[in-house]
Amino acid sequence: MIPFVRDFDPAYGRHVRHTPLISRVTAENPGPFTFTGTNTFILGRETAGAAVAVIDPGPDDPRHLEALLTAVDGRRVSHVLVTHTHRDHAPLARPFARVVGAPVLAAPPPPVTIHASGGLDADEDEDFRPDRLLTDGEVVSGDGWTLRTLATPGHASNHLAFALEEENALFCGDHVMGWSTTVVAPPDGDMAAYMASLDRVIAAGFDRLWPTHGAAIDDPAPFLAAYRAHRLDRDAQILRRLHAGDARIAEMVPHLYAAVDRRLWPAASLSVWAHLIAMVADGRAVATPTPTLDAAYAPG
């Protein structure tokens, strides 16, 4: 079982200090995919004039913009960083950056509009364009803090995480969440890439993870091991449904997600699809005609 962390006070609109270098303001955009809302992290010291970075400014919400401006007042925002371009993370980046006079840094947006998913928060912010493109391993630094980018594709093809070297901590965006498993939704979401990224985070041995939704994960090793085991178990469950004769994703989801709110079944279908794409690629399943959401599947 994954040791989820669901006891979390979002303290909407308030500037909450967690460590000498990390504070947050949480946007009031709760939902089935955002939990209590989007955590915008402010990285840096409280000293007047100190250079700080802001990670994932969040949704386009005037109240959240005002709260962020209040939180950074008296300090200089040197960088605005975005983990990925989903609409609960990226839209406020440009309005906020324009006010504080800072560049927006992120990976390149996907080349085509993706996640036409009926209004999920995983829909793309189609207008997002960073001022500077980040690649894996780049370093961004300020007054007493150093961030190193870690490419973590899977939830999104352009997903980045940011490792804070001074605290051996990772701002992991939506790659790992403490309150739930992460949605991996094709066509941009990729389960094989996700598992490879997860193994990379596990190998790095971080002391703490800071997801963009919910509470920090203070003991990452057993949490990540359980997270990985859950994905492998879901593979096994899907194979069992295939051997039981379920050929369509729509037939599998009621069995696989019987204990889950039915409102989440559309997203669950996308996750099963992501598993099946990876399973077809490595020969554990076959698809007729190709591995689409509506294809017929069978054991490989």
Side-chain angles (χ1 to χ4, degrees), residues 32-296:
F33 301 99
T34 58
F35 190 40
T36 55
T38 299
N39 296 329
T40 299
F41 290 105
I42 302 169
L43 181 62
R45 304 190 185 282
E46 292 284 0
T47 310
V52 300
V54 172
I55 301 174
D56 281 346
D60 189 5
D61 179 349
R63 297 170 302 170
H64 191 51
L65 174 60
E66 188 61 35
L68 289 180
L69 292 174
T70 299
V72 301
D73 187 41
R75 294 179 288 173
R76 179 176 64 86
V77 179
S78 58
H79 305 84
V80 177
L81 303 164
V82 177
T83 58
H84 61 297
T85 49
H86 289 170
R87 68 181 188 179
D88 53 325
H89 293 248
L92 198 61
R94 180 60 58 199
F96 175 74
R98 187 178 299 118
V99 175
V100 299
V104 178
L105 286 67
V112 295
T113 301
I114 50 91
H115 287 296
S117 49
L120 298 182
D121 289 291
D123 282 356
E124 203 69 29
D125 176 10
E126 299 175 38
D127 298 323
F128 179 81
R129 294 293 182 275
D131 297 308
R132 176 182 155 196
L133 297 178
L134 289 174
T135 58
D136 184 53
E138 286 196 56
V139 173
V140 177
S141 60
D143 292 336
W145 55 266
T146 309
L147 289 175
R148 186 177 301 274
T149 63
L150 184 72
T152 47
H155 172 71
S157 62
N158 63 344
H159 197 289
L160 293 176
F162 300 102
L164 176 60
E165 295 187 352
E166 286 77 8
E167 297 188 10
N168 193 34
L170 185 71
F171 296 97
C172 54
D174 284 356
H175 182 63
V176 178
M177 296 189 289
W179 68 282
S180 176
T181 55
T182 295
V183 172
V184 179
D188 193 55
D190 183 307
M191 188 60 69
Y194 181 82
M195 294 301 291
S197 297
L198 190 62
D199 285 343
R200 190 178 185 200
V201 171
I202 291 171
F206 293 106
D207 292 329
R208 181 175 289 165
L209 305 180
W210 294 95
T212 304
H213 306 287
I217 300 166
D218 293 331
D219 191 8
F223 188 95
L224 291 170
Y227 223 65
R228 186 179 188 279
H230 168 80
R231 292 294 185 186
L232 296 177
D233 185 55
R234 185 67 78 201
D235 270 359
Q237 291 172 7
I238 291 170
L239 276 175
R240 286 196 292 271
R241 295 315 312 168
L242 291 175
H243 283 287
D246 290 349
R248 309 280 179 178
I249 291 172
E251 298 169 347
M252 301 178 201
V253 167
H255 296 282
L256 299 173
Y257 294 89
V260 174
D261 188 331
R262 291 176 66 99
R263 293 175 299 171
L264 302 181
W265 283 8
S269 297
L270 296 174
S271 182
V272 174
W273 182 24
H275 279 276
L276 283 165
I277 291 171
M279 292 162 67
V280 168
D282 65 20
R284 290 175 294 157
V286 294
T288 305
T290 58
T292 64
L293 188 61
D294 299 319

